[in-house]
Amino acid sequence: MKKCPECGNPSYDGAPVCGNCGFKFPKQKVAVKRERSIFESQPEVERPPKVEKPPKMEKQKVKKPSNEPGVIDIIKEKKLIIGAILLITLIVICGIVLTGSNKNTSTPIQTGDMVVYDAGDFSFKYPKSWEQVNLTDSEHESAIFYMDENNTVIEHYNISSSATSLKDINQQRINYALDNGDAVELLETVTLDGRNGSNIILENADGNYTRYVSMFTDGELYVFKISGDSINSITSENINKVINSADIA
């Protein structure tokens, strides 16, 4: 209970005015419990001294290998190039040795009843009735062979020779034939393409016949070798026409 300060009349604590004289009681202050604000300044906490970190060591840059070839690479590359050149040169030399200097590389050209054989530096004509056959000559690997209607074999080859004259070549051929039991039936000098040539006929030990018609000029030996069972077969008109058509460029 509370008393009115004007008339002393008692009133309950929450009465806004005095019930006797009408005095307005002042509003009571409500005590608010004070709570600590999170915004109030806090006492500073002593922090440990800052430890300075040691300076970072700069990483040493590793030099990347250059793409440019070094001296050793250049030497190796040159060795490979030189090796390749030597290999190609060796192959070419082997090809020359194996084929010799025979120039019998030609594509026959047919003209009427005759076929022209032309190797550039040497040419001749032969009847189209002749058959080119696949035979071999161990001493002249690039020789070419034909067979006529009488089964006579006509061989042609040309090679480089170190001989000084056709006489020396014929002498060697005759000596070789005699050593093998062959007999010399004919040895004569002939003119072919305006040049001196030779005509040799041998009777072989087996009863067959071989004829050599040769021309020699500027270190090159051009030969027709005809093999048959009789002298008539190796001296036929067609064979003589072929030999007479020979032309040295």
Side-chain angles (χ1 to χ4, degrees):
M1 296 292 286
K2 62 183 178 179
K3 291 182 179 183
C4 175
E6 292 292 331
C7 65
N9 186 54
S11 298
Y12 62 92
D13 290 336
V17 294
C18 177
N20 183 41
C21 65
F23 177 78
K24 292 182 179 179
F25 294 110
K27 290 182 179 180
Q28 293 183 351
K29 295 183 179 179
V30 179
V32 179
K33 187 178 179 181
R34 185 177 180 184
E35 295 182 359
R36 187 173 180 175
S37 174
I38 59 173
F39 298 103
E40 291 182 356
S41 59
Q42 300 293 329
E44 293 185 0
V45 179
E46 186 177 356
R47 296 181 181 179
K50 186 177 181 181
V51 180
E52 293 185 0
K53 294 182 180 179
K56 292 184 179 180
M57 299 293 292
E58 292 185 2
K59 293 183 179 180
Q60 188 174 2
K61 294 183 180 180
V62 180
K63 188 176 182 181
K64 294 183 179 180
S66 175
N67 293 330
E68 296 181 359
V71 176
I72 296 177
D73 295 331
I74 293 173
I75 293 174
K76 288 181 179 180
E77 185 178 353
K78 287 186 177 180
K79 283 184 178 180
L80 290 175
I81 294 173
I82 293 172
I85 293 173
L86 290 176
L87 179 61
I88 294 172
T89 303
L90 182 61
I91 292 172
V92 172
I93 293 174
C94 290
I96 294 173
V97 172
L98 291 174
T99 59
S101 56
N102 197 311
K103 300 181 179 60
N104 294 334
T105 54
S106 170
T107 301
I109 302 174
Q110 185 172 331
T111 57
D113 294 334
M114 302 296 287
V115 179
V116 178
Y117 171 88
D118 188 353
D121 62 340
F122 185 78
S123 64
F124 59 87
K125 298 177 182 179
Y126 63 91
K128 68 176 183 180
S129 60
W130 285 13
E131 178 184 1
Q132 187 167 357
V133 292
N134 186 21
L135 298 176
T136 58
D137 184 337
S138 59
E139 295 181 357
H140 310 101
E141 295 183 358
S142 297
I144 56 174
F145 297 84
Y146 302 93
M147 183 178 291
D148 68 6
E149 58 278 1
N150 298 318
N151 294 326
T152 300
V153 175
I154 301 92
E155 174 186 355
H156 165 67
Y157 61 86
N158 65 282
I159 59 173
S160 297
S161 175
S162 59
T164 57
S165 66
L166 185 57
K167 180 180 179 182
D168 293 338
I169 295 172
N170 289 335
Q171 188 61 56
Q172 293 175 8
R173 181 172 288 138
I174 289 172
N175 291 339
Y176 180 80
L178 294 175
D179 291 341
N180 285 278
D182 300 336
V184 180
E185 290 292 323
L186 178 66
L187 172 59
E188 63 178 351
T189 300
V190 295
T191 301
L192 297 171
D193 190 29
R195 308 167 190 269
N196 289 332
S198 64
N199 183 32
I200 299 175
I201 297 178
L202 302 175
E203 182 181 0
N204 304 324
D206 60 2
N208 293 320
Y209 290 85
T210 303
R211 179 184 180 187
Y212 291 92
V213 179
S214 306
M215 291 177 286
F216 183 66
T217 180
D218 297 330
E220 293 290 323
L221 178 64
Y222 303 87
V223 179
F224 287 104
K225 179 181 177 181
I226 305 101
S227 303
D229 56 5
S230 67
I231 291 180
N232 290 335
S233 65
I234 63 175
T235 59
S236 68
E237 182 179 355
N238 279 341
I239 290 175
N240 288 336
K241 284 182 178 178
V242 172
I243 292 171
N244 288 326
S245 70
D247 178 49
I248 300 175

